[in-house]
Amino acid sequence: MARIAFFGAGYAGLVSAVCLAELGHTVALRDISEERIAALQAGRVPFYEPDMEELITKNAERLSFTTSMDEAVAGAEFLFVCVGTPPTYSGDADLSAVWSVIDELPPTLEDAVLVMKSTVPVGTGEKVRAALDARGLTRVGYASCPEFLAEGTAVRDFMESDRVVVGSFEETDGEKVGALHEGLNAPIVRMDVPSAEMVKLAANAYLATRISFINEIANVCELVGADVERVAQGMGLDRRIGTHYLRAGIGYGGACFPKDMSFLKLLAGNSGYHFHLVTAVMEVNELQMRRPVAKLQKHLGPLRGKRVALLGLAFKPNTDDLREAPSSVLTARLIAEGAEVVGWDPVADASSVLRGIELAGSAVEAIAGADAAVIVTEWPELRDLPWQELRGTMRTPLVIDGRNLLDTDAMREAGFTYEGMGRTASPFASLPETVEPRASS
């Protein structure tokens, strides 16, 4: 078992640190935020992520939290950099937090491996390697080990990893980082540093492309009378395609996909290549977030003075993250059209993020008196609401389901004007969700 120093107590850093402690390693997590470290020392997770508080309590003897660089690196064999790299105004990655960590490393460090877990542009590893050498830290190794964690399922994503990608300049450094993850039932994929840096961007760009693709198919389905859920079902049973990320909706958000798409587009552009596909995926996503507004106008006419309830504000369920959330775009567009906007989310606090919106204490409260309700985040409790009773509390029984969460026929039978994304009332609605393909003879 190894001693590990972690820099950055955000989503990826904290989850990765806690999960490595769960594997038996001793982990010291350092962050410059005194408030965040104090919360962690008290056993409180500064964001919503299932299972995190329980794991921190369980591994308390192997976990420590500090704001001190010297305390974090004392005796450490691995130095994991997992600080934020937000986009700048130009769309490039802001690496200032990464360089702050590198600059603060004690000059006496040796026989440790610095592991880059932050999402960084391809070529960053070579620059960090050169900076370490320039500071005399030639005995500090370097490896790239990108994270592939999805908010809301991050602990599971780490403990049940599909793969662990490790890029290194020296063979022995890569072997050491791979050995850290031997407790996982996942292949260790070894490669060079630039390739490892590219894997994260390429993987997220591909997943975002699938989302935008199925959303485009949904938009065409609405025009021709097809049902995107049946289309996606028929596509997904093809082994070459699969079912993941084929749920039509109102677009992707969060801290990763938008940022990584921007990084990849800029990386290509700065290298002399115009990445047409990534540009198109980003444009489709921006337009998709606005589609519920057009659907509301179709049913209600001008939205001035209309009260619209946004159900779910986080960018996805099981997280409180509002970064790049579709709710932000919808709120701004609805207010621009003169609508009154009331929002609800079971865990996200939008009071300092969404301006001009009234926040309700419950979904039922948000729906009462509304001219329309828009499902923005597919929180499962929305499926269990007493919709038939709620119909009578609305000015207009109109539901725009931006995540295709509810049953079309049931909502229409309850007296709602109901519209999803790319869905129609299908005579085959009672078919099972999947049909196993027949074995070929």
Side-chain angles (χ1 to χ4, degrees), residues 210 213-215 217-218 221 226-238 241-248 404 421-422 433-434:
R210 284 178 68 105
F213 176 81
I214 199 63
N215 284 337
I217 293 294
C221 283
D227 189 321
V228 71
E229 297 212 317
R230 297 305 176 194
V231 173
Q233 180 187 31
M235 291 172 57
L237 289 173
D238 188 323
I241 298 173
T243 58
H244 295 298
Y245 289 83
L246 283 183
R247 286 190 61 86
N404 290 345
M421 308 300 290
E433 284 301 310
T434 60

mmCIF file of all heavy atoms in Angstrom, residues 210 213-215 217-218 221 226-238 241-248 404 421-422 433-434:
data_model
loop_
_atom_site.group_PDB
_atom_site.id
_atom_site.type_symbol
_atom_site.label_atom_id
_atom_site.label_comp_id
_atom_site.label_asym_id
_atom_site.label_seq_id
_atom_site.Cartn_x
_atom_site.Cartn_y
_atom_site.Cartn_z
ATOM 1 N N ARG A 210 -22.845 11.382 -29.484
ATOM 2 C CA ARG A 210 -23.998 10.484 -29.452
ATOM 3 C C ARG A 210 -25.237 11.205 -28.933
ATOM 4 O O ARG A 210 -26.348 11.009 -29.442
ATOM 5 C CB ARG A 210 -23.685 9.265 -28.586
ATOM 6 C CG ARG A 210 -22.773 8.251 -29.254
ATOM 7 C CD ARG A 210 -22.452 7.083 -28.339
ATOM 8 N NE ARG A 210 -23.614 6.250 -28.061
ATOM 9 C CZ ARG A 210 -23.829 5.046 -28.598
ATOM 10 N NH1 ARG A 210 -22.971 4.551 -29.492
ATOM 11 N NH2 ARG A 210 -24.878 4.328 -28.273
ATOM 12 N N PHE A 213 -26.443 13.553 -31.590
ATOM 13 C CA PHE A 213 -26.984 12.785 -32.710
ATOM 14 C C PHE A 213 -28.407 12.324 -32.423
ATOM 15 O O PHE A 213 -29.313 12.518 -33.244
ATOM 16 C CB PHE A 213 -26.092 11.580 -33.010
ATOM 17 C CG PHE A 213 -26.650 10.683 -34.088
ATOM 18 C CD1 PHE A 213 -26.490 11.011 -35.420
ATOM 19 C CD2 PHE A 213 -27.360 9.538 -33.770
ATOM 20 C CE1 PHE A 213 -27.026 10.206 -36.421
ATOM 21 C CE2 PHE A 213 -27.892 8.725 -34.745
ATOM 22 C CZ PHE A 213 -27.725 9.055 -36.085
ATOM 23 N N ILE A 214 -28.627 11.721 -31.252
ATOM 24 C CA ILE A 214 -29.979 11.222 -30.965
ATOM 25 C C ILE A 214 -30.953 12.376 -30.779
ATOM 26 O O ILE A 214 -32.146 12.244 -31.081
ATOM 27 C CB ILE A 214 -29.972 10.268 -29.751
ATOM 28 C CG1 ILE A 214 -31.239 9.405 -29.746
ATOM 29 C CG2 ILE A 214 -29.839 11.048 -28.451
ATOM 30 C CD1 ILE A 214 -31.384 8.476 -30.936
ATOM 31 N N ASN A 215 -30.475 13.529 -30.340
ATOM 32 C CA ASN A 215 -31.358 14.691 -30.249
ATOM 33 C C ASN A 215 -31.746 15.195 -31.634
ATOM 34 O O ASN A 215 -32.892 15.629 -31.846
ATOM 35 C CB ASN A 215 -30.690 15.800 -29.439
ATOM 36 C CG ASN A 215 -30.703 15.525 -27.950
ATOM 37 O OD1 ASN A 215 -31.538 14.756 -27.465
ATOM 38 N ND2 ASN A 215 -29.801 16.143 -27.211
ATOM 39 N N ILE A 217 -31.982 13.215 -34.253
ATOM 40 C CA ILE A 217 -32.944 12.209 -34.699
ATOM 41 C C ILE A 217 -34.308 12.472 -34.079
ATOM 42 O O ILE A 217 -35.354 12.362 -34.747
ATOM 43 C CB ILE A 217 -32.447 10.791 -34.334
ATOM 44 C CG1 ILE A 217 -31.191 10.437 -35.141
ATOM 45 C CG2 ILE A 217 -33.535 9.747 -34.556
ATOM 46 C CD1 ILE A 217 -31.421 10.312 -36.634
ATOM 47 N N ALA A 218 -34.340 12.852 -32.806
ATOM 48 C CA ALA A 218 -35.607 13.159 -32.138
ATOM 49 C C ALA A 218 -36.321 14.311 -32.822
ATOM 50 O O ALA A 218 -37.555 14.278 -33.016
ATOM 51 C CB ALA A 218 -35.353 13.496 -30.667
ATOM 52 N N CYS A 221 -37.818 13.011 -35.904
ATOM 53 C CA CYS A 221 -38.958 12.147 -35.570
ATOM 54 C C CYS A 221 -40.219 12.954 -35.351
ATOM 55 O O CYS A 221 -41.319 12.549 -35.760
ATOM 56 C CB CYS A 221 -38.646 11.332 -34.309
ATOM 57 S SG CYS A 221 -37.537 9.933 -34.575
ATOM 58 N N ALA A 226 -42.443 9.736 -36.204
ATOM 59 C CA ALA A 226 -41.785 8.580 -35.601
ATOM 60 C C ALA A 226 -41.566 8.833 -34.109
ATOM 61 O O ALA A 226 -41.691 9.963 -33.630
ATOM 62 C CB ALA A 226 -40.451 8.302 -36.288
ATOM 63 N N ASP A 227 -41.231 7.783 -33.374
ATOM 64 C CA ASP A 227 -40.997 7.865 -31.936
ATOM 65 C C ASP A 227 -39.530 7.577 -31.671
ATOM 66 O O ASP A 227 -39.050 6.466 -31.926
ATOM 67 C CB ASP A 227 -41.879 6.860 -31.188
ATOM 68 C CG ASP A 227 -41.834 7.046 -29.682
ATOM 69 O OD1 ASP A 227 -40.743 7.322 -29.147
ATOM 70 O OD2 ASP A 227 -42.891 6.908 -29.039
ATOM 71 N N VAL A 228 -38.797 8.572 -31.167
ATOM 72 C CA VAL A 228 -37.359 8.426 -31.004
ATOM 73 C C VAL A 228 -37.005 7.315 -30.021
ATOM 74 O O VAL A 228 -35.936 6.690 -30.142
ATOM 75 C CB VAL A 228 -36.717 9.763 -30.565
ATOM 76 C CG1 VAL A 228 -37.085 10.104 -29.118
ATOM 77 C CG2 VAL A 228 -35.202 9.711 -30.730
ATOM 78 N N GLU A 229 -37.858 7.042 -29.046
ATOM 79 C CA GLU A 229 -37.536 5.983 -28.094
ATOM 80 C C GLU A 229 -37.536 4.619 -28.780
ATOM 81 O O GLU A 229 -36.708 3.760 -28.474
ATOM 82 C CB GLU A 229 -38.514 6.013 -26.927
ATOM 83 C CG GLU A 229 -38.422 7.312 -26.126
ATOM 84 C CD GLU A 229 -38.719 7.109 -24.669
ATOM 85 O OE1 GLU A 229 -39.675 6.379 -24.356
ATOM 86 O OE2 GLU A 229 -37.997 7.685 -23.841
ATOM 87 N N ARG A 230 -38.483 4.421 -29.703
ATOM 88 C CA ARG A 230 -38.499 3.165 -30.460
ATOM 89 C C ARG A 230 -37.325 3.113 -31.431
ATOM 90 O O ARG A 230 -36.715 2.058 -31.644
ATOM 91 C CB ARG A 230 -39.823 3.031 -31.213
ATOM 92 C CG ARG A 230 -41.032 2.960 -30.301
ATOM 93 C CD ARG A 230 -40.889 1.834 -29.298
ATOM 94 N NE ARG A 230 -41.993 1.806 -28.358
ATOM 95 C CZ ARG A 230 -41.990 1.122 -27.237
ATOM 96 N NH1 ARG A 230 -40.923 0.409 -26.897
ATOM 97 N NH2 ARG A 230 -43.021 1.141 -26.429
ATOM 98 N N VAL A 231 -37.003 4.259 -32.014
ATOM 99 C CA VAL A 231 -35.862 4.318 -32.927
ATOM 100 C C VAL A 231 -34.574 3.984 -32.183
ATOM 101 O O VAL A 231 -33.753 3.188 -32.642
ATOM 102 C CB VAL A 231 -35.767 5.708 -33.583
ATOM 103 C CG1 VAL A 231 -34.482 5.824 -34.410
ATOM 104 C CG2 VAL A 231 -36.987 5.974 -34.457
ATOM 105 N N ALA A 232 -34.394 4.585 -31.002
ATOM 106 C CA ALA A 232 -33.195 4.329 -30.211
ATOM 107 C C ALA A 232 -33.130 2.876 -29.760
ATOM 108 O O ALA A 232 -32.049 2.273 -29.717
ATOM 109 C CB ALA A 232 -33.158 5.262 -28.998
ATOM 110 N N GLN A 233 -34.289 2.305 -29.442
ATOM 111 C CA GLN A 233 -34.333 0.900 -29.054
ATOM 112 C C GLN A 233 -33.857 0.004 -30.199
ATOM 113 O O GLN A 233 -33.039 -0.898 -30.011
ATOM 114 C CB GLN A 233 -35.747 0.519 -28.634
ATOM 115 C CG GLN A 233 -35.909 -0.940 -28.217
ATOM 116 C CD GLN A 233 -37.367 -1.298 -27.972
ATOM 117 O OE1 GLN A 233 -38.261 -0.734 -28.604
ATOM 118 N NE2 GLN A 233 -37.603 -2.226 -27.070
ATOM 119 N N GLY A 234 -34.387 0.284 -31.372
ATOM 120 C CA GLY A 234 -34.002 -0.513 -32.535
ATOM 121 C C GLY A 234 -32.542 -0.345 -32.889
ATOM 122 O O GLY A 234 -31.878 -1.296 -33.305
ATOM 123 N N MET A 235 -32.020 0.871 -32.711
ATOM 124 C CA MET A 235 -30.593 1.097 -32.961
ATOM 125 C C MET A 235 -29.730 0.406 -31.910
ATOM 126 O O MET A 235 -28.733 -0.240 -32.226
ATOM 127 C CB MET A 235 -30.288 2.602 -32.927
ATOM 128 C CG MET A 235 -30.855 3.422 -34.052
ATOM 129 S SD MET A 235 -30.595 5.194 -33.741
ATOM 130 C CE MET A 235 -28.815 5.255 -33.557
ATOM 131 N N GLY A 236 -30.120 0.554 -30.645
ATOM 132 C CA GLY A 236 -29.277 0.099 -29.548
ATOM 133 C C GLY A 236 -29.088 -1.391 -29.475
ATOM 134 O O GLY A 236 -28.094 -1.867 -28.914
ATOM 135 N N LEU A 237 -30.013 -2.147 -30.026
ATOM 136 C CA LEU A 237 -29.872 -3.600 -30.021
ATOM 137 C C LEU A 237 -28.831 -4.090 -31.025
ATOM 138 O O LEU A 237 -28.453 -5.254 -31.001
ATOM 139 C CB LEU A 237 -31.223 -4.260 -30.295
ATOM 140 C CG LEU A 237 -32.233 -4.137 -29.150
ATOM 141 C CD1 LEU A 237 -33.589 -4.653 -29.568
ATOM 142 C CD2 LEU A 237 -31.743 -4.879 -27.916
ATOM 143 N N ASP A 238 -28.381 -3.194 -31.874
ATOM 144 C CA ASP A 238 -27.268 -3.506 -32.769
ATOM 145 C C ASP A 238 -25.987 -3.495 -31.932
ATOM 146 O O ASP A 238 -25.640 -2.480 -31.330
ATOM 147 C CB ASP A 238 -27.194 -2.445 -33.869
ATOM 148 C CG ASP A 238 -26.187 -2.778 -34.954
ATOM 149 O OD1 ASP A 238 -25.114 -3.338 -34.616
ATOM 150 O OD2 ASP A 238 -26.446 -2.461 -36.129
ATOM 151 N N ILE A 241 -23.590 -0.664 -32.019
ATOM 152 C CA ILE A 241 -24.023 0.653 -31.555
ATOM 153 C C ILE A 241 -24.195 0.684 -30.041
ATOM 154 O O ILE A 241 -23.597 1.505 -29.349
ATOM 155 C CB ILE A 241 -25.326 1.067 -32.265
ATOM 156 C CG1 ILE A 241 -25.083 1.177 -33.774
ATOM 157 C CG2 ILE A 241 -25.855 2.388 -31.704
ATOM 158 C CD1 ILE A 241 -26.331 1.427 -34.589
ATOM 159 N N GLY A 242 -25.024 -0.210 -29.497
ATOM 160 C CA GLY A 242 -25.274 -0.219 -28.062
ATOM 161 C C GLY A 242 -26.262 0.862 -27.651
ATOM 162 O O GLY A 242 -26.634 1.739 -28.442
ATOM 163 N N THR A 243 -26.686 0.797 -26.394
ATOM 164 C CA THR A 243 -27.778 1.664 -25.934
ATOM 165 C C THR A 243 -27.313 2.909 -25.189
ATOM 166 O O THR A 243 -28.108 3.822 -24.973
ATOM 167 C CB THR A 243 -28.708 0.875 -24.996
ATOM 168 O OG1 THR A 243 -27.941 0.384 -23.883
ATOM 169 C CG2 THR A 243 -29.340 -0.313 -25.720
ATOM 170 N N HIS A 244 -26.077 2.962 -24.775
ATOM 171 C CA HIS A 244 -25.628 4.070 -23.939
ATOM 172 C C HIS A 244 -25.661 5.404 -24.684
ATOM 173 O O HIS A 244 -25.314 5.493 -25.854
ATOM 174 C CB HIS A 244 -24.210 3.822 -23.426
ATOM 175 C CG HIS A 244 -24.118 2.649 -22.498
ATOM 176 N ND1 HIS A 244 -24.788 2.600 -21.304
ATOM 177 C CD2 HIS A 244 -23.442 1.479 -22.605
ATOM 178 C CE1 HIS A 244 -24.517 1.458 -20.691
ATOM 179 N NE2 HIS A 244 -23.717 0.746 -21.475
ATOM 180 N N TYR A 245 -26.094 6.434 -23.971
ATOM 181 C CA TYR A 245 -26.118 7.808 -24.480
ATOM 182 C C TYR A 245 -26.979 7.942 -25.736
ATOM 183 O O TYR A 245 -26.674 8.720 -26.634
ATOM 184 C CB TYR A 245 -24.691 8.307 -24.737
ATOM 185 C CG TYR A 245 -23.937 8.552 -23.445
ATOM 186 C CD1 TYR A 245 -23.315 7.511 -22.770
ATOM 187 C CD2 TYR A 245 -23.896 9.822 -22.877
ATOM 188 C CE1 TYR A 245 -22.650 7.725 -21.571
ATOM 189 C CE2 TYR A 245 -23.233 10.049 -21.690
ATOM 190 C CZ TYR A 245 -22.615 8.998 -21.037
ATOM 191 O OH TYR A 245 -21.972 9.219 -19.854
ATOM 192 N N LEU A 246 -28.059 7.187 -25.758
ATOM 193 C CA LEU A 246 -29.030 7.318 -26.851
ATOM 194 C C LEU A 246 -30.403 7.714 -26.299
ATOM 195 O O LEU A 246 -31.421 7.290 -26.825
ATOM 196 C CB LEU A 246 -29.142 6.010 -27.645
ATOM 197 C CG LEU A 246 -28.012 5.701 -28.620
ATOM 198 C CD1 LEU A 246 -28.303 4.411 -29.387
ATOM 199 C CD2 LEU A 246 -27.782 6.852 -29.604
ATOM 200 N N ARG A 247 -30.427 8.524 -25.253
ATOM 201 C CA ARG A 247 -31.684 9.041 -24.704
ATOM 202 C C ARG A 247 -31.843 10.485 -25.153
ATOM 203 O O ARG A 247 -31.036 11.351 -24.786
ATOM 204 C CB ARG A 247 -31.715 8.949 -23.182
ATOM 205 C CG ARG A 247 -31.925 7.530 -22.661
ATOM 206 C CD ARG A 247 -32.199 7.550 -21.174
ATOM 207 N NE ARG A 247 -33.397 8.308 -20.847
ATOM 208 C CZ ARG A 247 -34.628 7.805 -20.859
ATOM 209 N NH1 ARG A 247 -34.820 6.542 -21.199
ATOM 210 N NH2 ARG A 247 -35.669 8.550 -20.545
ATOM 211 N N ALA A 248 -32.884 10.725 -25.918
ATOM 212 C CA ALA A 248 -33.131 12.088 -26.398
ATOM 213 C C ALA A 248 -33.528 12.987 -25.233
ATOM 214 O O ALA A 248 -34.115 12.543 -24.249
ATOM 215 C CB ALA A 248 -34.234 12.078 -27.450
ATOM 216 N N ASN A 404 -38.119 12.964 -21.450
ATOM 217 C CA ASN A 404 -38.934 11.775 -21.774
ATOM 218 C C ASN A 404 -39.044 10.846 -20.565
ATOM 219 O O ASN A 404 -38.897 9.627 -20.671
ATOM 220 C CB ASN A 404 -38.349 11.025 -22.982
ATOM 221 C CG ASN A 404 -38.521 11.800 -24.267
ATOM 222 O OD1 ASN A 404 -39.298 12.753 -24.339
ATOM 223 N ND2 ASN A 404 -37.798 11.404 -25.296
ATOM 224 N N MET A 421 -39.758 14.812 -26.128
ATOM 225 C CA MET A 421 -38.760 15.143 -27.137
ATOM 226 C C MET A 421 -38.687 13.997 -28.139
ATOM 227 O O MET A 421 -38.199 12.903 -27.836
ATOM 228 C CB MET A 421 -37.389 15.349 -26.481
ATOM 229 C CG MET A 421 -37.388 16.334 -25.318
ATOM 230 S SD MET A 421 -37.919 18.006 -25.774
ATOM 231 C CE MET A 421 -36.531 18.522 -26.771
ATOM 232 N N GLY A 422 -39.223 14.222 -29.327
ATOM 233 C CA GLY A 422 -39.174 13.207 -30.364
ATOM 234 C C GLY A 422 -40.109 12.041 -30.142
ATOM 235 O O GLY A 422 -39.905 10.971 -30.710
ATOM 236 N N GLU A 433 -39.512 -2.887 -22.947
ATOM 237 C CA GLU A 433 -38.477 -1.909 -23.269
ATOM 238 C C GLU A 433 -37.411 -2.494 -24.197
ATOM 239 O O GLU A 433 -36.869 -1.795 -25.035
ATOM 240 C CB GLU A 433 -37.807 -1.421 -21.968
ATOM 241 C CG GLU A 433 -38.678 -0.438 -21.198
ATOM 242 C CD GLU A 433 -39.002 0.770 -22.028
ATOM 243 O OE1 GLU A 433 -38.089 1.370 -22.613
ATOM 244 O OE2 GLU A 433 -40.197 1.124 -22.112
ATOM 245 N N THR A 434 -37.091 -3.751 -24.039
ATOM 246 C CA THR A 434 -36.102 -4.359 -24.924
ATOM 247 C C THR A 434 -36.631 -5.701 -25.409
ATOM 248 O O THR A 434 -37.381 -6.387 -24.712
ATOM 249 C CB THR A 434 -34.746 -4.590 -24.225
ATOM 250 O OG1 THR A 434 -34.958 -5.455 -23.113
ATOM 251 C CG2 THR A 434 -34.150 -3.293 -23.759
#
